[in-house]
Amino acid sequence: MKENKIIINKLNELLADFQIYYQNLRGFHWNIQGKAFFELHVKFEELYTDAAMKVDEIAERILTIGGVPLHGFEDYLATAQIKPVKNVHDGETAVETIVSNLEHIVSVERSLKDLAGESGDSGTEDQMSSLIEEQEKTLWMYKAWLK
């Protein structure tokens, strides 16, 4: 049971990070300006729509294994390692922030995957594997955009 509590806490950290990441994406979508506006405005919407689905999946996993997902914005701010950003209008800064946020999220997911594997929680381990695989591809694409 101790491992379960540790996994729940780590999943809540991931949930909090995703909530801040999601809100950052919304801000980028609303505030993007410049020559890449049309391209990035659409991409940021795709990313925040995807992040919203992942938030739900993570919260449901927490519930499935007997935990309570964080659900207050003050809890997200207190728990997340990702920091909110404001007033980002240029594409390069927005994409650099997305890459940084996703790199952090993937590192948390890898840690969770290992922890879940060690404690026999194959459901969480599988969920993290899927998230990592998808987000590594997203990272590759956004890093390529920055070059």
Side-chain angles (χ1 to χ4, degrees), residues 81-137:
Q81 295 298 306
I82 291 176
K83 299 300 176 203
V85 295
K86 295 180 354 180
N87 301 317
V88 173
H89 302 284
D90 70 283
E92 191 156 328
T93 301
V95 173
E96 287 170 349
T97 303
I98 289 167
V99 166
S100 174
N101 287 179
L102 274 178
E103 286 176 336
H104 171 74
I105 285 170
V106 169
S107 74
V108 172
E109 291 165 347
R110 283 189 180 117
S111 166
L112 250 164
K113 179 183 174 291
D114 292 345
L115 185 62
E118 292 166 8
S119 65
D121 179 353
S122 60
T124 300
E125 185 179 22
D126 290 347
Q127 183 183 33
M128 293 305 112
S129 290
S130 294
L131 290 172
I132 292 165
E133 181 179 353
E134 183 181 331
Q135 289 162 343
E136 285 176 336
K137 184 175 181 181

Side-chain angles (χ1 to χ4, degrees), residues 18-38:
F18 254 106
Q19 288 286 31
I20 303 302
Y21 171 64
Y22 169 84
Q23 196 59 46
N24 286 344
L25 292 166
R26 292 299 300 249
F28 300 153
H29 173 74
W30 293 328
N31 294 298
I32 192 68
Q33 298 175 1
K35 294 186 187 306
F37 171 84
F38 292 107

Side-chain angles (χ1 to χ4, degrees), residues 46-91:
E46 289 172 9
L47 286 172
Y48 76 67
T49 300
D50 180 65
M53 288 189 321
K54 287 176 173 54
V55 161
D56 194 52
E57 292 167 4
I58 294 163
E60 288 174 354
R61 183 67 194 158
I62 292 167
L63 289 163
T64 299
I65 61 174
V68 176
L70 297 177
H71 52 277
F73 210 74
E74 64 279 354
D75 295 329
Y76 303 142
L77 289 169
T79 304
Q81 295 298 306
I82 291 176
K83 299 300 176 203
V85 295
K86 295 180 354 180
N87 301 317
V88 173
H89 302 284
D90 70 283

